[in-house]
Amino acid sequence: MADFREQRAVVKFCFLLGKSGTVTLEMLKTAYKDDAMGKTQVFEWFSRLKNSDMSIDDKPRSGRPSTARTHENVEKIREIIEEDRRRTIEEIVELSRVTWSTVQRILTKDLGMKRMAAKFVPRLLTA
């Protein structure tokens, strides 16, 4: 997937040059092929730029930010795993009081571990 922030910068550049949304869309399709922004997105960004909103960043979204993948929870789960690498995710959930999906995400993303032969090990094994 292409970096849409980069494409939004291109849309802003074309807008400042006085290009139309249609011409900009064709240029994006030529440059980015299948990864180009869609027609609706290009015209929405043109509309934003016309309304003097010159930022290419997304607007903040509503919703509660994730609070479970905190540094404290990552360390707590790291300690639980170091005690006994044979623990299941369900056991870690019970001990840490963190949801199953968050524990799984912390193990794989934050700690870089995966299940191997009934115990968690670092994803990249070293000598």
Side-chain angles (χ1 to χ4, degrees):
M1 174 136 11
D3 180 16
F4 286 123
R5 193 166 195 285
E6 178 181 305
Q7 291 185 42
R8 290 189 294 250
V10 172
V11 170
K12 181 178 177 181
F13 179 73
C14 290
F15 175 80
L16 293 173
L17 287 177
K19 304 281 186 196
S20 70
T22 308
V23 171
T24 302
L25 178 62
E26 290 304 316
M27 291 170 71
L28 285 171
K29 285 183 179 180
T30 302
Y32 292 98
K33 310 275 188 268
D34 293 335
D35 291 331
M37 290 171 62
K39 178 181 176 182
T40 305
Q41 287 177 304
V42 171
F43 283 98
E44 282 178 16
W45 281 100
F46 255 80
S47 175
R48 262 185 166 184
L49 294 167
K50 283 179 188 172
N51 293 329
S52 301
D53 182 5
M54 295 308 236
S55 172
I56 61 169
D57 295 320
D58 283 328
K59 290 181 182 174
R61 296 181 182 176
S62 63
R64 183 176 166 204
S66 175
T67 56
R69 279 178 67 188
T70 62
H71 180 68
E72 293 81 24
N73 284 342
V74 171
E75 287 306 312
K76 185 188 312 181
I77 291 172
R78 182 191 318 269
E79 290 169 8
I80 292 170
I81 287 295
E82 286 175 357
E83 277 178 26
D84 181 9
R85 290 182 177 264
R86 292 179 164 262
R87 291 196 191 272
T88 64
I89 292 181
E90 287 80 11
E91 291 171 336
I92 298 169
V93 167
E94 260 183 55
L95 293 170
S96 67
R97 301 282 187 237
V98 178
T99 64
W100 190 95
S101 60
T102 302
V103 169
Q104 196 267 343
R105 198 170 299 121
I106 287 172
L107 288 170
T108 57
K109 303 266 192 259
D110 296 323
L111 299 178
M113 298 183 149
K114 67 178 184 177
R115 195 84 160 159
M116 183 177 280
K119 67 167 97 168
F120 284 99
V121 296
R123 188 166 287 159
L124 298 173
L125 297 176
T126 59

